Amino acid sequence: MNEYRYLELKAELLAEGIQASEEALSGVGNEYKEQNHGLFGWDFEDHVGTSLPDDFMLPDGTIVQFRKNSRSPYKVSGKGNNLTLSKGEEEICRAEWLPRPAYYNKETANNNKMVKIGQVGGGDCLFFCYQNYCSHFAGNEECLFCNLVSTLKTYDSVLKKKDTEDIGEVAGEAFSEGKVKHVLLTGGCFNHQKEIELVADIMKSIRKKTGFSRVPGTILPSPAKGEDEIKKYYDTGIQAIGFSMEIWDEKLYQAICPGKSKNTSRGTFVNSIETAVKIFGAGNVYGVFVMGLEPKRTFLEGVREITNMGANVVPFVWSPNPGSKLEGHRAPAGGWFVETTLEASEIVCNAGVPSGIENHCYKCDGNSLLHDALRLKGIE
Ligand code: SF4
C-alpha cells in the first residue's frame, strides 16, 4: 500500500471539503462530537441549524477536520460508526466520527454551559479562546483568510468572553474524562499587559482544577514581544508558546495580513521566537502558519529558518472560509499540500528539533498535515 495514502486523502479532504448524508449525521451532537465554532468557521459554507461533526478519523488514526462543501466529490454515508467515505461512486475507506465528550452536557458552578467555554479539537486537544476579539476588523484590516467576526455573528454559539473560574472548571472535567492530553489557548488582539494578566489567572485556575504544576499545551497569544513579555507567559505555567506568523514571505504577509503586519513585522516575530526558545526550551515554541497562500519556496524558507532556531512549526491547511475576504477562492490542489508538507517534514527532521508532542500532537491536528507526515517518519 502507498504509505502516503491517508496523508494524500486528508490533503484532498481539507482542500476540497466534504459532504455527509443525513443518516450519517444522525448521531452528531449527541453521541458524536459536533462543531461549536469556538473561534473560526472552517467549512466552505455556513450551516446554521445543522449539527456537523467537528472532525473524523481515517482507518490509520489520521484525524481530519470536517469542512462542509456541498460541491465536494467526497461524501460520508452509513450510520453510527459504520461509516464509509466515498469519492463519487467509488468507496474509499471506513471513517469514524469522534465521541462527544461527556462534559459537553454539563454546566459550570456559574450556570454556564461548559461546551460554550472550551471545546475538544481533534482527539485530545482542549481549546479555549479566552476572548473572541480582534482589533484589526474595526479598521477593515483583518487577515484576508480570517472569518472570526462573521463566525461569531453567524453562529453565536460560544461565550465571547469566558470567566477564568469557568475555564478552570471545564479543564478539570475534560482532563478527568481521560481523553484530553493538552490545552490550546488563544485570544484576540488587545492590550498586551491585560492579556498577560488574564492568561496568568486562567492558567492558575487550570492548574488548580487539574493538579498540573506546568500544563501540557500551548498558548497562542497576541504576538508576544521581548524577553519580559515572553518570560511572563512562561511564568503562567504553560509548557509551550506559539507565534501566529501566518505567512513567511514578507511582502505577501503585509498584503494578506494588513493590520497584523503593521503591529508585528516578520523580523519581530523571528526575534521573539529566538528569545522564546531560550525561555521555553527547544521544541516548546511554535511558528504557526497558514499554508496555501504563498509559494512553496518561501513557505519552506520559513520552516527552515524557524526550525534552525529550535522551534517547531504548525501549518494550517488553508481553504476559503465563508465570511473571510477570500471567500469563494480556491485552495491549491491536495497534491501541492502533500508535496510541500513532505519537504517541510524533511527539514524539521534534519533540524533535530525535539518533537514537543506532549504539547501538540497529530491527534490535535485535523487541519494540518505536518504532524501526520512526521508520524510517518516515526515521530508521534
Ligand atoms: S490577527 Fe488576523 S487571523 Fe488573527 S484574529 Fe485577527 S484578523 Fe483573524
Side-chain angles (χ1 to χ4, degrees):
M1 191 182 86
N2 167 11
E3 63 174 317
Y4 301 125
R5 182 183 178 204
Y6 293 116
L7 186 74
E8 288 168 359
L9 182 55
K10 178 172 175 179
E12 283 275 311
L13 290 162
L14 294 179
E16 303 292 333
I18 188 167
Q19 322 181 41
S21 70
E22 225 172 276
E23 187 186 41
L25 294 176
S26 57
V28 174
N30 302 313
E31 226 174 311
Y32 307 113
K33 180 162 69 86
E34 77 282 10
Q35 297 182 9
N36 282 284
H37 307 99
L39 180 57
F40 305 126
W42 295 85
D43 300 285
F44 285 61
E45 53 201 79
D46 289 326
H47 55 93
V48 180
T50 306
S51 284
L52 292 180
D54 208 9
D55 26 40
F56 57 101
M57 193 163 68
L58 299 178
D60 71 338
T62 297
I63 304 285
V64 187
Q65 187 174 50
F66 189 97
R67 296 180 173 180
K68 175 184 163 69
N69 181 3
S70 316
R71 295 201 293 198
S72 172
Y74 291 97
K75 185 166 185 174
V76 174
S77 46
K79 196 164 185 200
N81 247 339
N82 192 13
L83 301 175
T84 304
L85 174 64
S86 311
K87 183 179 187 185
E89 297 300 305
E90 180 201 353
E91 285 193 6
I92 300 177
C93 61
R94 283 175 55 81
E96 271 181 48
W97 303 144
L98 301 180
R100 191 173 197 260
Y103 82 82
Y104 274 26
N105 283 331
K106 296 185 181 168
E107 290 191 354
T108 64
N110 291 329
N111 298 113
N112 285 318
K113 287 196 168 134
M114 289 194 175
V115 66
K116 288 183 170 236
I117 293 161
Q119 306 83 32
V120 175
D124 64 1
C125 186
L126 179 61
F127 175 73
F128 294 109
C129 177
Y130 39 85
Q131 178 147 288
N132 297 59
Y133 167 78
C134 173
S135 59
H136 303 315
F137 283 84
N140 196 24
E141 290 191 314
E142 72 267 29
C143 304
L144 267 54
F145 52 82
C146 180
N147 67 357
L148 178 142
V149 169
S150 141
T151 304
L152 205 59
K153 281 188 190 149
T154 304
Y155 298 102
D156 193 22
S157 53
V158 292
L159 296 179
K160 200 171 165 197
K161 224 173 160 180
K162 285 88 174 172
D163 179 84
T164 303
E165 289 302 310
D166 278 356
I167 292 179
E169 223 180 302
V170 172
E173 279 293 321
F175 275 95
S176 72
E177 285 180 23
K179 289 229 164 67
V180 162
K181 297 282 180 276
H182 2 245
V183 297
L184 179 63
L185 288 115
T186 194
C189 315
F190 58 110
N191 176 297
H192 280 211
Q193 195 48 43
K194 278 199 181 132
E195 185 169 355
I196 293 170
E197 284 164 20
L198 176 62
V199 171
D201 287 347
I202 290 170
M203 291 305 301
K204 195 172 161 197
S205 173
I206 293 178
R207 283 187 279 125
K208 190 169 134 202
K209 296 288 182 177
T210 58
F212 288 118
S213 52
R214 288 200 75 80
V215 179
T218 307
I219 172 92
L220 286 173
S222 309
K225 296 171 191 165
E227 201 168 329
D228 266 15
E229 274 190 21
I230 295 168
K231 177 80 174 48
K232 282 181 185 157
Y233 278 113
Y234 180 80
D235 290 341
T236 67
I238 187 80
Q239 280 189 179
I241 189 167
F243 295 83
S244 299
M245 300 185 70
E246 324 292 8
I247 305 286
W248 180 259
D249 180 274
E250 193 136 30
K251 291 241 158 63
L252 278 174
Y253 170 51
Q254 288 160 3
I256 294 171
C257 307
K260 188 176 213 171
S261 59
K262 266 190 204 160
N263 290 350
T264 315
S265 69
R266 185 178 85 181
T268 303
F269 269 126
V270 169
N271 291 340
S272 298
I273 289 178
E274 206 166 18
T275 305
V277 170
K278 287 186 200 134
I279 295 169
F280 279 81
N284 294 332
V285 179
Y286 292 89
V288 181
F289 291 90
V290 176
M291 186 183 180
L293 287 168
E294 69 176 311
K296 178 169 118 175
R297 184 181 59 78
T298 58
F299 169 72
L300 292 176
E301 261 174 38
V303 173
R304 198 168 287 113
E305 192 146 332
I306 299 292
T307 53
N308 278 342
M309 290 190 292
N312 274 307
V313 175
V314 176
F316 295 122
V317 171
W318 174 72
S319 63
N321 297 332
S324 72
K325 288 188 170 170
L326 292 176
E327 176 173 2
H329 286 235
R330 297 182 78 130
W336 182 89
F337 283 108
V338 172
E339 205 182 290
T340 309
T341 300
L342 288 175
E343 284 189 42
S345 70
E346 274 298 310
I347 295 170
V348 174
C349 283
N350 291 340
V353 184
S355 69
I357 49 168
E358 56 294 351
N359 299 317
H360 196 86
C361 71
Y362 79 92
K363 284 190 189 163
C364 310
D365 264 352
N367 52 5
S368 154
L369 299 164
L370 185 58
H371 274 89
D372 302 292
L374 291 169
R375 185 175 165 227
L376 290 172
K377 290 177 178 292
I379 301 166
E380 290 204 27

